[in-house]
Structures are given as C-alpha cells and as structure tokens.
Amino acid sequence: MLSKALVTLIVAAASSTSLPAAFAGTPDFGSWPAVKSFTFSTPDPITTTFDTPDPLTILFAPHNGETKLLSGKGTTECNFNPNNVNAGDILDDIGIFKGEDSNGYCYPQDSYTYSDFLTEKGSLDDGSGKTYEAYKINHPNNVPVQFDAGATKLMFKVEGVLAASYIVYKAQPTTSGGTYALQVAQKDIVPVASGQFVMTSIELTNSGFDDVSDPPIFFVVPSDEALTAPESKTLNGSVNSQCDLENDPTAVNLQDTVDKIGLYKTKYDGSCFKQKDYSYYDFLTEKGELDDGAGHKYEAYKIGYPQGPPPDWQVGRTHLMFKVKGSLSSSYTVYKAQPRNEGDAYTVTIVEKGITVPTADQFVMTGISLTDSGYNAISDAPIFFILPDDQALTVPIYKTLPGTLDECTIENDHTAYGPGDVVESFGIFIGKKSDGSCTTNENNRYGNFLIEKGEVEDELGNRYEAYKVKYPDHIPTQRQSSNSRLMFKIEGALVPGSLYNVMKIQPPMSHPTVTVGDHDISVETEGQFVTTSALVAPPGSPQAGGPDAIFFVVPAIDLVSAWPAFPTTGLRVEATIFSKDGLSLYAEVLGLQTEVFHSPFNPSINQAVGLDDHVHKYGYRKVYFPIVGASGDEGIVWQDQTTFFIYVTWIGVGDDESAITIQLPENNSGDFYLLGAVSETTNGDIVYMLMDRTADSDDPYSALTVKAVKVNKNGVLITASTLDTSTSGGVNIHAYSSSAGTLAWNESQNSIAWFIARTYIRGSDGLNHQALSVILLDPGDLSVVSDKQVTSHSWNNYIIDSGDGFLSADLGDNYPRGIHVNKITPQASISGDVVYTFKTQHGTTAQNPAGNTFPVYEDISNNEQTFYQWSNDNDVYTEMAQPALLELDDSSLIIVFAGEFPSLDSSQTGANLNNPRNIGIVKVDANDFTNVLSKGVDATGGFYKFGGVWTPQENKGVIQLTQFTSGGAGRRELSSVDKTQWDNATRVKTAKLSNGNIVIVYEVWSSATYKRTEYMVIDSLGGVVTPSTFIPYALRLAPQDPAVMIYDDTVTIVGYDGLSLVRYHIQLGGGHPATDTNAPSVNPSHPPSVIPSGEPSGSPEEPSSQLPSVIPSGDSPSGSPEESSDQCYESVKDRYYLKTDTDGEEITKTCGSLAKKNENKVKRTCAKTKSGTTGAAKDVCKVTCGVCPCGEIDKSRFYPRPVKGEGKVKNNICRWLASTKKDIESICTSDRRSDKLGPAKVVCPVTCGTCPNE
C-alpha cells in the first residue's frame, strides 16, 4: 500500500539546492475551495431527411437505318461555328465535339482524343403514350494513344419556333435488358437561333459509360415541358477555378454545375492548378429536397465523396459556389446537413453566412471546402442548401478552416481574407517565420481546423461568445516553420480604450485550465479583423480529434479565471483542482498583476518543440528557481519572457496570504538570461547568474558578458561581479548554449558551484567548441575560485550540494557519451563515471567530411540503409530527468532518464526520434559509480569514432519502467513509420518520498505534440508501486526544471496558467474527502489523450548543429563539419523534362534557365511530377526547386579570399572549388563576404562539407 504522500509540483520548477523538508509544515489542503467549472453550449440541432424524385423508367426503340459513326474530331470547342459544324460529327439534331483541355487548348488528334461513336436515332416511350425523339450514343471505338486532353461533349439544335430554354435528359441503362432510368443531364440551355447547333457541358468520355451493354440515350425537351426526373451529375471539381472567376464571374463552365450549385478550384500561392494530378475529382452531385419534419422544405444538393484523389498531392482546394434566381436578398447563408455519426439523422449546421450575391443568376464563390471537410467515414455525404439571411435558421455553426492565410497578406490588408479563412468573428492565419518571411507550404504547417461556434458560461453566470477548435486534420510532414494563430473582430461598439484579451480554456470543463492567449490587443475599427499571437496549433491531442481548446475574447479590463477568486497584486489564492481516487491536485495562484502585464515562462507555449525536432536534443535553460529564505520563507526567482526582467516572488506561509514580487537589479534593460539562482538560509541572501543574450556572436573571438549578482531578500544589491570570460586567465565564454546551467550553494563548505554549458571562444584549431564546466565561486565577493571542464558536448545538466561538496549529472554526446555522474569538491576535484550510454548513428557515405574512406559497417546495415565505420553523431536519443539523480538512505543513487530501447542498437538511428522514449533507471553505489546495484538489463555495443577507431560501450542493470511501443516488431524502416501515433515520455520530474519511494511525473508526447501528463511511483529498487497513471488535468512541465521537496512528502513544481504564477501540489494516497465529485477517475493505464496539446513556440532557440568537441583526440569528430546524407549538387547544364509537343517530341530545359524564371513559374514547374527520358524538374534541379535540405549549384559564386602567394581566387565558383585541392581548407573556413557574395562555406556547403547534420 502506498501511504499518504503529498507531491507538490511547481510547474516548471527548478531547484539547485537541497531544500529542508517540512520547514513550514504541510498546509491544510483539505480546506481549499474548488476551481470554477465552465460549460460550452451550442444551439440544439435541427434534423432533416433528404429526398430525390423517383426515377422514370422508359423504353428505347431504334429507328431502322438511322445510325451513323460520329467522328468527334472534326468540330472543336476552339473553332466552334454554330452554322458550320463538321458533317461527320452530327446525326440529324444531335452531334458531338471535342472540348478544350484544362489550359484552353483543343487536341483532336488520335493521341489525345476518343473517336468514332456509333450513334442510333430512335424513340423513347415513357409508358404513358408519350414519345420523344432520342439518340443512343455508344462507346467510342477508338481510345487516345496517350491520354484524353479535353472531353468529347454533346451538342444539339432545335428546328422551328424556339422555346425560352431547354433541358437535356439522359436515359441511363438500369441493367442489361432495355429499360432506362431518366435523369437531368443539363438544364436552362438557351439556343441562339433555330437550326443552329449549341454546345452543352455534357461529357461523353468522362462519365455515363457504365459497365453495362446499353450505353446512355439523350433527348431534348423545352424547359416548360420538364419531366419529373432526378437531377444528378458527376462534377469534375476543377473545370472552373478561382483565377477564371475572379477575372470574369460570368465565365462559369456549366459542366461543373447542377442547377444552382457548382464547384470550383481555389488558388494556391496565387496560381490555380486544375490538373487531375493536383485535384480531387468526380463528385456525384444530386439535387433533391430537405424536409425538417415541421412542414419546412428546402431545395438541396447532396455532394458525394470524390471518386479520385490527386495522384500527386492536392494543390488548392475544391470549393462550393452557388447562384440565386429571381429577386435577391441582401445576403445569404449556406447550410450543411450531415450525420455526425453512422446511422444518425441529418443535422443542419451553418457553414458560411453573410454571403453577398451581386447579380441574379450569376454564380458566387464561397469559402466552403469540399476536400478538407464533410467527408467523414460514414455512408451519407453532406447536403447543402442556401437561404436568405432574413430566413435564417437557429442551428449550430461549425466549419473547417484550412488555415492557409498568411500574416504577410493580412498585415498589409486587414480585409484580405476569404470566407474560407473565418467563422463569424473568428479566423485562423499562419504567422511569420522567424526570419520575418511567410510561407503557406503545407509540409511546414498545421491545417484543416474544425471550428464550432458556441457560448461559454462560468459558475457566476457570465457568458461569452466562444469558438471550439478541434485538433487539425493536417499536421506538418516536415519541421513546422510557422505557427497557426488566431484573429478576431469585434462587432458593435468598442469598449473604452479598445483593448481586448484572448482567453483560452482547456478541458476538462469541470476543472479547466484558463489562460491568456494574447493580451492588450488594440482594436481600432469595429467589424475589422485583427491578428493576435494566440496559438491554435496544435490545440489538442491527435487522438480522437480532441480534446478541444476553446477561445473567446473579452475586454482587457475583464478578468476571467478558473480560480475561486483571482488574486490581486501581492496576494495568493488556494484552490483544489481535483481530489478523487487516491490522487489530488492543488494549486496556489500568486497575484502578479501590476501596472505591467507579466509573461513568465509558459510550459504549454514556450519551447514547445517535439521530440523529433532536432532542437529538442540540445536542451533548454531552467526557468523557475525555488528558494528558501532565512526563516523558512518560500520564494521563486524567475524571468519574464517578454521583457526579460528578473523577479523574486516571496510566498506567505499558512494564514499569510501574501505573494510579494520584487524586481531584481543588474538587468533593468533585459539584456541578460537568468541562468541559475540559489539562496542561503542564514540571511536569505540570493545569488543569481546572468549571461548576455543580446551580444553579436558573429565575431568568433569575442568574449561574452557574464555577471554574478548577490542581493538580500528584499532585492537590494549586496555585490555584483562581472566575470572575466576571456581566454587569458578567464572562464572562456563566447556564447550562450541552450542547455545552460544550474547553481548550487553548499553553505557548510562556503562554496557556490555553477554548472554551465556554453560555447568557447575560437581556439587555435579555428573552431568554437561547446562544453560543460563547473565554475566555483566565493559566496562572499562572487569571485571565481576555479573553472574546470566536465563534459563536451553537453545537452542537459543538474548539480546539488551534497555533504562536503557537490553531486552532478549531465548528458554528453562525445566526451563522454552518456549520462555522466560526478562528485565535485570545493577544491575542484572531480571524479565520476558514465552510468548510462546510448547508440550512435554512423556515416551513410564511405567518406567522412575529412576525406577519409571507411568500409561498410555490416552489423547494422540493411537493405534500406548502408552504414560505414565512422560516426559524427550529436544526437543522444536520451533526456535526463530533473532531478536526474536522487540520493537514497542506503548510500546509493538512482539515476532516472527517458531513452530509446534497446539502448545500444545503432541500426535504429537516422532521425532525432527513432523509437518511442521510455523511462528507465539505473541504481549505483554512491561511493563507487561503477558498482551498479539495480537488477535490470545489461547491454553491450559500441561505435566507430570519426577516425574509425572502435569504442566499446556497456550498460548494466537498466530497468525500463514504461512500455511505450511503436506498434511494430523487429527492425523498422523509419520512412514507413508514423511517429505521430507514438507515446513518448518526456520532461520527466522526480522526487523522493519519506518512505523511500520515488515519485516520477512526466508528460506524454507524440513525436511533435503534447498528449497528457502521467505519474508513477517506484520503490528504492526500481520496483513499480503505482503504475503509470493518468493525471486528468493539463499539468504542463517546463523542459529541464527539477521538481523539489518543500513540505512533508510534497513535490513542488512552479508554472504559469496564462494569468499568473502557480505552484501545483500533488497528493498521493488517501487524501481528504473529495471536493470535486465530478472529476474523472484515475486510470492506471495509458488512456487516449484528453488533455490539450502544447503549442509550438514561434521562435525556439536553436543552437548550431555543428558543435565540435573541445577535448583533443585524434579519433574525435572535433573540427570536422557534419555531413547530411541528403545533399544535392546541381549543374546549370542539367536538363529536366518540360512537356511533349503535339508531334510526340520531348521538350527539355536546363536547370540554369529555370533558375532565371520568376518565383511563380519556378513553383509551377517544380510542382510537376511527369517525366520523360529525363526526370521532372523537382528530381533534376533539386536545389532550384528547394527540395534538398542542403545543396549547391556548380556555377554559384562565392566571395574570393586571398590565397597565400597567389593574390585572389579568380575562378570563384563551386565547380572550380570542387575540382581543386589547393587551399580548399582555408577557403572553406573563411568568413569573408561582400554585399552580393557570401563565403564558400555558405555558397558551396557540399564541397566544403558544411551541411548541417539534421
């Protein structure tokens, strides 16, 4: 049995000192009130039924001798003359002609058309004595040699007095046997003159020829003699385009319409791609009638699933258009009726409203996409109908937004959005990239967000218009380069000051997380959309499309919170989030609202990069530093993420409800990162470390400004020391490294240790190395006592005071490779060992970047990938827990981490994430780290260093605690693995309970997004006491902040809820009687995610992927740039396939000529996939087309640098550089550039071997 234990988590907590347990006693959590609950509601749905006319069955009687073989090639749409059609294409009043292709050209040649249609004239009898002259058009005898470029279509003429308009009916065979079912093929056709042929949009070669012996029969009747027959038609979906209709709204090709509804293809990057290679096509569309059962009926259209997906990919979307006949209303609404689930009734919703129709009987485009939404895995397709807004129905409003509007467009023109970009007062756009540019490339963004409009109400009766955002259907296939964000508009009068906040609610609604998505947004004009920084991607879990994030907008003066009474400045409130089934979560909210809106680190937004992102491996600085004052005062040192000011917040104890926040000195301009804070318990003095974050690091020999600052508990400066960071007796710091540092204070030994990762000043080898050092400081004057290197490179670290010195753990990729545990004395003596190591990616080319050649590494190579006997791997496939090591009472240490298993299988490499990350532990003797005490799995392996020298590896006693799997078995090929479906443990936090057990709290992510938070408890031997258990709350954890013990058996994690700092407390065991009886039960398994996903950071700090080791070794990868296996070398003379002309000759062009085209031309050419004897442009001109992560063009020029004894390089192009060996090293390491030309290492990265290793 697990005894009652309280685990307090300060979301994103970072501790660097051993805090005394229960120094202030455990609070009475049982007396804390519950958080507020919220409800989200939508209008009750209207259910309907859909009916179409019963088909009229008729018989066909051919006329003897009235048959003819119609060519179909003599008359074309391009040269059509109604008075002079080709005689070989007509039989009496009916005829056929060759239509235009998607580019407006006509190709009647045998290579590109069907021909020779046997046509029979006859009579149709409807069984009531009425007959009609009709024509049976048989299947064509000849098929195109290559492909059908433009369909063969029907034309007809009428002799005598003309009616106002005509309908063409098609009698389609029901079975082989002579009976036919009647349907409308095209209506409202207006001939110009008697006896003149008129073209129709009825295709004979794309539809109508089913697998039956009897082909279709066509006949024409005046519209005022219309028969009762179904109107159905297969619409291509791409015949009309946004480009065409914007130029001429009347230029609608009726081939893609059924009566008052039609389809069109939207733009993509300013161009329209109507080809089938880039479009969904063939939508069976039926006209019918909706009946709501209450006496209301509506003309409606059912649009079936497209029969064909694009062979390549969808470029642009297929959207709905409609027209209105007769008198017009001021605006219209499009409704959609569709079952939510299989077997449900049709539920009516609004998909777009406020549509203005400028002209009667003229089609108007909508923003309703048919290829992003509506096609669920159910048998009934969606039905659309249109009503004037003054006849509006009260129904739910939901719509899928593609999310393709970019910030550059909307920034220049706030009206430059389409109806497909917004739902009522809510819209989604793609923010700028980190370099300020914009992209809508679907490979790098989220898309297709299902939005539902509703209303949020809190316990006090306050109501707000709100929008629920479901998890996007489309996720980036490559690295996300831009964030999807929210825009909104305010209808009606603006509040004084016109400032608004965007609020976000994350379920469960019984104990929600309510955060500020963006604040103090200035709205200048009512009814005009404004952009925000509120992130909507990804808003929830990828599993089951939820849960759903809810957004709403309130005046900035209104404060909406889930807490019982949100604290004012200087106060705190307490709340119970849930307490049920042996698990309780409590929170203390610390009031920070002053004249400045604070932005502490938000774990759900800041640095929310996925495990498969190469930035993830480099770690992230600790952000919250819990401290203890002189009389047990509790505090947090933290940094604002907007101003970068540094604060300490002191928290009252017991009945003291204060939360006093003080700005700390020496960073009033916000120019420094906070990289460690610690306090002592005698006077409550605080020491913190600052590192310049604004310095220009382009000069590789520059030293960075670093400060050590000491203040009293009131923030008054005691002393500040600017460290000597030079190489001349200093601590040698050139630049910040994202894994940053940890600070510890051993008061008994009068010593402060700063564990700090950074980049060194450039050395004699011409490189800036990255490494982790321990810098010991004198607590009195903060002078440097010693500086010693510990590990290179280092991506994660942790240090605590322990006994007569310090204990540390860090994660290194090279020297050493593994989790490195050390004892450090105040005299700077360091002793330690690697307690866990991991696999290594080996070279995928025989030659390493230094030019040395190596044999195949047979043991790990396979049919898909060949490896060679050298390596240069910065990846560590591992993440240390925080704290990474725990001291146990039996003189042992437990080291906790998340890693990939099996740990030493180097065949499972090649990506940042290759196998699901699972939690593991190793227990070692605290006095001899080589003495492994845990009884787990042993593993042996090794890797070849950069120079080909074999390095053995061994893991002992590793216990795997979680069992997340990829769903496959054996060796997997990464190219075929869907890592978005994996569960991975990350952001692992640990704490030791008083009974010796260990609690582990961690987030579960897919490869890219947050899913949920879980915890487990193990005993001191690694045995599972409480298995992995879901926490039913979005408890978000900062990447590398440790959990700390403050109260009895209480783990504390500091976080930010979007409004203020929060200390979260987890209680395990019996707990007090539940205060939230509606909270969901805890499930000790791995349930589907019900917690909203974290949102990717817009600008993650990204260190260089080329970080050579600082420790010299002949076999090390030091000094050699990493080379990706996916590199491209393009010649301007390389030729790609453009097209085949009408004579069957291939036309090719050079890559050099393509590079000279404008951007849109390059995009269109590179989007093509068809090839001939040469490849498509995207396969030949990979650098110009931008499909290669790293490449060069042979004639690209770099800036010439002086070569000793020879003046300047004259032939300064990559091709010359690749062919010469003389001075290539000095040229490739030069940083010289001009206004127009960059250095060789940038322009010619393949030749210089400077491609990043991603």
Side-chain angles (χ1 to χ4, degrees):
M1 286 288 294
L2 175 65
S3 61
K4 174 180 176 180
L6 190 62
V7 179
T8 306
L9 303 171
I10 313 182
V11 159
S15 171
S16 46
T17 186
S18 297
L19 301 178
F23 63 86
T26 303
D28 181 12
F29 291 99
S31 65
W32 290 8
V35 299
K36 294 180 181 179
S37 62
F38 285 80
T39 58
F40 178 77
S41 59
T42 59
D44 293 332
I46 295 175
T47 58
T48 60
T49 58
F50 180 72
D51 298 305
T52 58
D54 293 331
L56 182 63
T57 302
I58 54 181
L59 298 174
F60 177 72
H63 297 176
N64 291 332
E66 293 193 65
T67 63
K68 185 177 181 179
L69 195 65
L70 304 187
S71 166
K73 299 190 297 182
T75 305
T76 70
E77 189 172 358
C78 301
N79 65 6
F80 185 77
N81 182 342
N83 295 310
N84 187 23
V85 297
N86 190 288
D89 292 327
I90 61 174
L91 172 60
D92 288 352
D93 295 337
I94 207 88
I96 59 177
F97 66 96
K98 179 67 174 179
E100 295 177 346
D101 72 349
S102 58
N103 294 314
Y105 298 104
C106 296
Y107 295 94
Q109 299 92 338
D110 289 339
S111 295
Y112 306 108
T113 190
Y114 290 89
S115 62
D116 293 351
F117 297 75
L118 180 62
T119 303
E120 304 174 69
K121 182 177 180 181
S123 299
L124 279 178
D125 187 338
D126 66 2
S128 65
K130 195 165 186 178
T131 60
Y132 305 90
E133 181 182 281
Y135 299 84
K136 178 188 287 187
I137 302 180
N138 287 270
H139 307 276
N141 293 335
N142 299 322
V143 298
V145 177
Q146 294 193 29
F147 56 88
D148 190 25
T152 301
K153 301 179 183 180
L154 190 76
M155 60 182 175
F156 71 90
K157 69 177 180 179
V158 178
E159 300 286 358
V161 179
L162 295 178
S165 63
Y166 291 82
I167 300 174
V168 177
Y169 290 93
K170 179 172 69 173
Q172 188 76 23
T174 54
T175 59
S176 297
T179 59
Y180 295 82
L182 190 65
Q183 60 183 237
V184 175
Q186 187 176 335
K187 62 193 304 184
D188 299 330
I189 305 169
V190 181
V192 176
S194 173
Q196 284 189 355
F197 275 92
V198 58
M199 295 185 292
T200 75
S201 63
I202 301 167
E203 297 184 353
L204 301 175
T205 51
N206 283 341
S207 63
F209 295 106
D210 297 337
D211 187 20
V212 292
S213 59
D214 289 326
I217 297 167
F218 297 91
F219 65 102
V220 182
V221 299
S223 297
D224 56 8
E225 299 177 18
L227 305 176
T228 302
E231 287 190 58
S232 65
K233 184 178 181 182
T234 297
L235 306 185
N236 176 280
S238 299
V239 174
N240 297 297
S241 74
Q242 183 178 353
C243 303
D244 301 330
L245 300 180
E246 284 180 345
N247 291 331
D248 182 0
T250 65
V252 173
N253 190 319
L254 297 179
Q255 173 187 332
D256 255 4
T257 67
V258 173
D259 203 4
K260 301 172 190 171
I261 211 156
L263 306 181
Y264 73 97
K265 190 72 181 291
T266 64
K267 289 180 179 178
Y268 178 83
D269 275 356
S271 301
C272 294
F273 296 81
K274 299 195 289 186
Q275 304 93 323
K276 277 191 175 180
D277 286 349
Y278 309 116
S279 309
Y280 286 89
Y281 56 90
D282 290 353
F283 300 76
L284 179 60
T285 303
E286 301 176 77
K287 179 181 177 181
E289 188 176 67
L290 275 180
D291 188 334
D292 66 3
H296 305 110
K297 295 184 179 182
Y298 312 97
E299 180 183 291
Y301 300 82
K302 178 186 284 190
I303 303 181
Y305 310 100
Q307 299 303 302
D312 291 338
W313 64 87
Q314 185 180 198
V315 184
R317 300 292 186 263
T318 302
H319 276 210
L320 188 76
M321 61 181 179
F322 72 91
K323 68 179 179 181
V324 177
K325 295 183 179 181
S327 59
L328 297 176
S329 294
S330 58
S331 59
Y332 292 82
T333 295
V334 178
Y335 297 86
K336 180 174 73 171
Q338 186 178 28
R340 285 288 186 104
N341 300 289
E342 186 73 53
D344 289 354
Y346 282 90
T347 301
V348 177
T349 61
I350 293 174
V351 284
E352 189 171 327
K353 64 187 299 185
I355 305 170
T356 301
V357 179
T359 306
D361 207 29
Q362 180 174 298
F363 279 93
V364 60
M365 295 181 286
T366 75
I368 301 166
S369 173
L370 300 174
T371 50
D372 285 336
S373 64
Y375 297 102
N376 303 323
I378 55 177
S379 59
D380 288 319
I383 297 166
F384 297 91
F385 64 101
I386 296 99
L387 291 177
D389 281 349
D390 56 13
Q391 299 176 24
L393 305 177
T394 302
V395 296
I397 300 174
Y398 59 89
K399 178 179 178 182
T400 294
L401 302 186
T404 54
L405 176 69
D406 66 86
E407 185 174 5
C408 298
T409 300
I410 196 70
E411 184 179 62
N412 294 328
D413 180 0
H414 284 274
T415 65
Y417 60 87
D421 299 315
V422 299
V423 178
E424 303 265 309
S425 301
F426 180 97
I428 292 177
F429 69 98
I430 305 172
K432 293 179 180 178
K433 300 195 303 184
S434 58
D435 63 3
S437 65
C438 292
T439 180
T440 57
N441 191 320
E442 61 184 13
N443 295 324
N444 306 108
R445 64 167 176 82
Y446 288 85
N448 301 348
F449 300 83
L450 180 59
I451 313 298
E452 186 169 8
K453 181 184 177 183
E455 185 179 71
V456 163
E457 182 176 0
D458 65 16
E459 290 176 329
L460 303 179
N462 300 311
R463 296 181 179 181
Y464 309 93
E465 178 183 297
Y467 296 84
K468 181 184 290 186
V469 182
K470 293 187 75 67
Y471 192 86
D473 288 342
H474 172 77
I475 62 174
T477 56
Q478 300 173 11
R479 184 183 174 195
Q480 183 185 1
S481 60
S482 302
N483 289 314
S484 297
R485 289 157 44 188
L486 178 151
M487 62 182 188
F488 71 91
K489 66 179 179 180
I490 300 296
E491 299 285 4
L494 302 176
V495 298
S498 301
L499 296 179
Y500 292 83
N501 291 346
V502 174
M503 307 301 297
K504 176 180 178 182
I505 299 179
Q506 293 169 299
M509 302 300 278
S510 58
H511 35 269
T513 304
V514 180
T515 60
V516 177
D518 195 5
H519 64 88
D520 293 337
I521 306 159
S522 177
V523 179
E524 297 179 357
T525 307
E526 63 180 74
Q528 178 174 292
F529 275 94
V530 294
T531 58
T532 77
S533 62
L535 302 178
V536 296
S541 160
Q543 296 174 323
D548 312 312
I550 297 168
F551 295 88
F552 58 101
V553 178
V554 299
I557 57 175
D558 293 350
L559 187 60
V560 180
S561 173
W563 308 111
F566 192 82
T568 58
T569 302
L571 297 178
R572 65 186 176 103
V573 298
E574 304 158 338
T576 300
I577 296 175
F578 64 82
S579 179
K580 191 176 180 68
D581 296 337
L583 175 68
S584 302
L585 180 64
Y586 308 97
E588 292 173 284
V589 187
L590 313 178
L592 297 178
Q593 263 52 42
T594 62
E595 68 281 357
V596 177
F597 191 100
H598 295 295
S599 300
F601 182 90
N602 189 334
S604 67
I605 296 177
N606 301 119
Q607 195 60 16
V609 295
L611 283 76
D612 208 20
D613 191 313
H614 81 281
V615 172
H616 184 273
K617 67 186 171 193
Y618 297 116
Y620 191 73
R621 65 182 183 273
K622 297 170 177 62
V623 293
Y624 292 110
F625 300 88
I627 57 174
V628 176
S631 57
D633 298 332
E634 306 165 30
I636 305 165
V637 179
W638 55 278
Q639 185 166 32
D640 192 286
Q641 299 300 297
T642 301
T643 64
F644 290 94
F645 295 161
I646 297 170
Y647 300 90
V648 61
T649 298
W650 291 108
I651 303 160
V653 178
D655 294 333
D656 183 354
E657 298 181 351
S658 67
I660 306 301
T661 298
I662 304 168
Q663 184 175 344
L664 299 181
E666 295 297 308
N667 190 32
N668 291 333
S669 60
D671 292 338
F672 290 86
Y673 283 130
L674 172 66
L675 297 187
V678 69
S679 66
E680 53 88 41
T681 56
T682 303
N683 299 311
D685 294 341
I686 305 168
V687 172
Y688 53 97
M689 304 301 299
L690 302 177
M691 182 177 286
D692 194 342
R693 68 179 189 87
T694 64
D696 184 359
S697 60
D698 287 344
D699 178 3
Y701 298 99
S702 63
L704 197 66
T705 301
V706 175
K707 295 181 182 180
V709 184
K710 186 177 183 179
V711 298
N712 68 15
K713 65 179 182 180
N714 296 317
V716 177
L717 181 66
I718 297 174
T719 186
S721 171
T722 300
L723 276 60
D724 180 358
T725 56
S726 71
T727 56
S728 303
V731 294
N732 191 356
I733 300 179
H734 165 67
Y736 163 81
S737 180
S738 63
S739 50
T742 314
L743 199 63
W745 192 336
N746 191 317
E747 294 183 54
S748 66
Q749 299 297 316
N750 195 36
S751 180
I752 293 176
W754 190 31
F755 223 27
I756 183 64
R758 79 321 203 155
T759 302
Y760 286 143
I761 296 169
R762 178 163 292 182
S764 58
D765 59 359
L767 297 168
N768 294 87
H769 299 280
Q770 193 268 9
L772 173 78
S773 295
V774 58
I775 298 175
L776 299 180
L777 302 173
D778 185 315
D781 60 7
L782 303 182
S783 61
V784 174
V785 176
S786 69
D787 168 28
K788 285 194 175 181
Q789 181 176 301
V790 178
T791 298
S792 170
H793 315 113
S794 177
W795 305 139
N796 202 329
N797 61 77
Y798 177 75
I799 190 169
I800 56 171
D801 63 295
S802 176
D804 58 359
F806 303 93
L807 266 177
S808 71
D810 66 85
L811 181 64
D813 80 335
N814 197 355
Y815 295 101
R817 186 169 176 80
I819 295 178
H820 191 202
V821 177
N822 287 284
K823 285 185 176 180
I824 303 171
T825 71
Q827 294 75 38
S829 171
I830 302 175
S831 60
D833 206 346
V834 172
V835 296
Y836 174 79
T837 187
F838 32 77
K839 58 195 176 184
T840 304
Q841 181 184 5
H842 285 72
T844 54
T845 60
Q847 191 176 82
N848 71 5
N852 301 316
T853 302
F854 300 89
V856 172
Y857 190 177
E858 299 285 358
D859 290 350
I860 64 171
S861 297
N862 55 55
N863 293 334
E864 296 293 324
Q865 182 64 67
T866 301
F867 293 101
Y868 295 86
Q869 293 179 13
W870 66 273
S871 67
N872 186 17
D873 192 5
N874 284 151
D875 276 306
V876 292
Y877 315 107
T878 303
E879 184 181 334
M880 286 196 329
Q882 292 287 344
L885 52 82
L886 297 170
E887 298 179 274
L888 303 187
D889 296 336
D890 60 356
S891 298
S892 67
L893 302 175
I894 276 190
I895 295 88
V896 185
F897 58 90
E900 297 183 15
F901 293 89
S903 58
L904 297 178
D905 183 0
S906 291
S907 69
Q908 296 294 292
T909 56
N912 299 296
L913 180 66
N914 306 275
N915 299 92
R917 296 276 171 91
N918 280 283
I919 297 175
I921 66 161
V922 176
K923 182 176 182 179
V924 299
D925 188 327
N927 299 307
D928 179 6
F929 301 154
T930 63
N931 181 18
V932 178
L933 305 177
S934 50
K935 306 300 181 184
V937 175
D938 297 344
T940 59
F943 64 96
Y944 292 95
K945 290 186 177 180
F946 187 76
V949 175
W950 175 254
T951 302
Q953 293 174 292
E954 182 178 22
N955 282 326
K956 291 184 178 180
V958 176
I959 299 175
Q960 181 178 335
L961 295 177
T962 56
Q963 306 298 325
F964 299 136
T965 66
S966 63
R971 177 173 286 175
R972 301 166 300 99
E973 306 306 336
L974 288 176
S975 61
S976 63
V977 171
D978 183 6
K979 291 184 278 189
T980 62
Q981 301 303 310
W982 291 358
D983 281 351
N984 299 275
T986 184
R987 305 190 179 199
V988 183
K989 315 302 174 191
T990 63
K992 186 183 71 172
L993 305 177
S994 60
N995 62 3
N997 289 341
I998 296 163
V999 61
I1000 303 174
V1001 182
Y1002 56 95
E1003 292 185 355
V1004 179
W1005 281 55
S1006 70
S1007 59
T1009 58
Y1010 169 79
K1011 291 184 168 185
R1012 60 184 181 272
T1013 303
E1014 297 181 345
Y1015 82 96
M1016 67 186 311
V1017 180
I1018 62 172
D1019 61 28
S1020 60
L1021 299 176
V1024 175
V1025 177
T1026 302
S1028 295
T1029 302
F1030 166 58
I1031 297 176
Y1033 182 75
L1035 179 58
R1036 302 306 308 276
L1037 313 173
Q1040 291 191 9
D1041 282 18
V1044 296
M1045 303 294 293
I1046 293 182
Y1047 307 118
D1048 282 329
D1049 284 344
T1050 302
V1051 181
T1052 300
I1053 295 181
V1054 180
Y1056 181 60
D1057 75 332
L1059 294 170
S1060 196
L1061 285 179
V1062 183
R1063 294 202 307 177
Y1064 291 97
H1065 310 277
I1066 295 181
Q1067 187 176 45
L1068 307 174
H1072 62 266
T1075 59
D1076 180 9
T1077 57
N1078 295 317
S1081 299
V1082 177
N1083 186 345
S1085 61
H1086 305 291
S1089 170
V1090 295
I1091 301 297
S1093 167
E1095 298 152 331
S1097 168
S1099 54
E1101 296 170 9
E1102 182 173 340
S1104 168
S1105 62
Q1106 302 172 40
L1107 297 170
S1109 169
V1110 70
I1111 302 179
S1113 169
D1115 296 321
S1116 81
S1118 174
S1120 301
E1122 300 174 2
E1123 181 175 2
S1124 168
S1125 61
D1126 194 6
Q1127 300 176 1
C1128 308
Y1129 191 91
E1130 179 180 316
S1131 170
V1132 295
K1133 294 183 179 180
D1134 290 340
R1135 304 190 73 88
Y1136 65 94
Y1137 171 83
L1138 180 64
K1139 63 180 181 179
T1140 301
D1141 64 17
T1142 55
D1143 296 324
E1145 294 292 325
E1146 287 187 7
I1147 298 175
T1148 62
K1149 296 287 186 180
T1150 65
C1151 294
S1153 66
L1154 177 62
K1156 296 177 182 178
K1157 303 293 185 184
N1158 63 49
E1159 183 180 359
N1160 284 336
K1161 180 65 175 176
V1162 172
K1163 285 182 179 179
R1164 289 196 296 270
T1165 303
C1166 292
K1168 296 179 180 179
T1169 58
K1170 191 173 181 179
S1171 62
T1173 55
T1174 60
K1178 70 182 184 66
D1179 299 318
V1180 177
C1181 312
K1182 292 184 178 181
V1183 181
T1184 299
C1185 286
V1187 297
C1188 181
C1190 182
E1192 71 185 56
I1193 299 175
D1194 62 348
K1195 284 197 173 182
S1196 295
R1197 292 191 175 274
F1198 57 89
Y1199 186 75
R1201 65 172 302 282
V1203 177
K1204 188 176 181 180
E1206 295 184 15
K1208 286 189 174 181
V1209 175
K1210 293 181 179 180
N1211 298 318
N1212 56 322
I1213 61 175
C1214 296
R1215 185 173 64 187
W1216 170 84
L1217 185 61
S1219 65
T1220 184
K1221 294 187 179 295
K1222 192 170 186 178
D1223 286 308
I1224 187 171
E1225 182 176 353
S1226 61
I1227 294 172
C1228 284
T1229 56
S1230 172
D1231 289 310
R1232 297 191 65 195
R1233 64 177 67 232
S1234 69
D1235 291 339
K1236 295 182 178 180
L1237 299 177
K1241 64 182 181 181
V1242 175
V1243 178
C1244 314
V1246 176
T1247 298
C1248 286
T1250 52
C1251 284
N1253 181 21
E1254 298 190 31

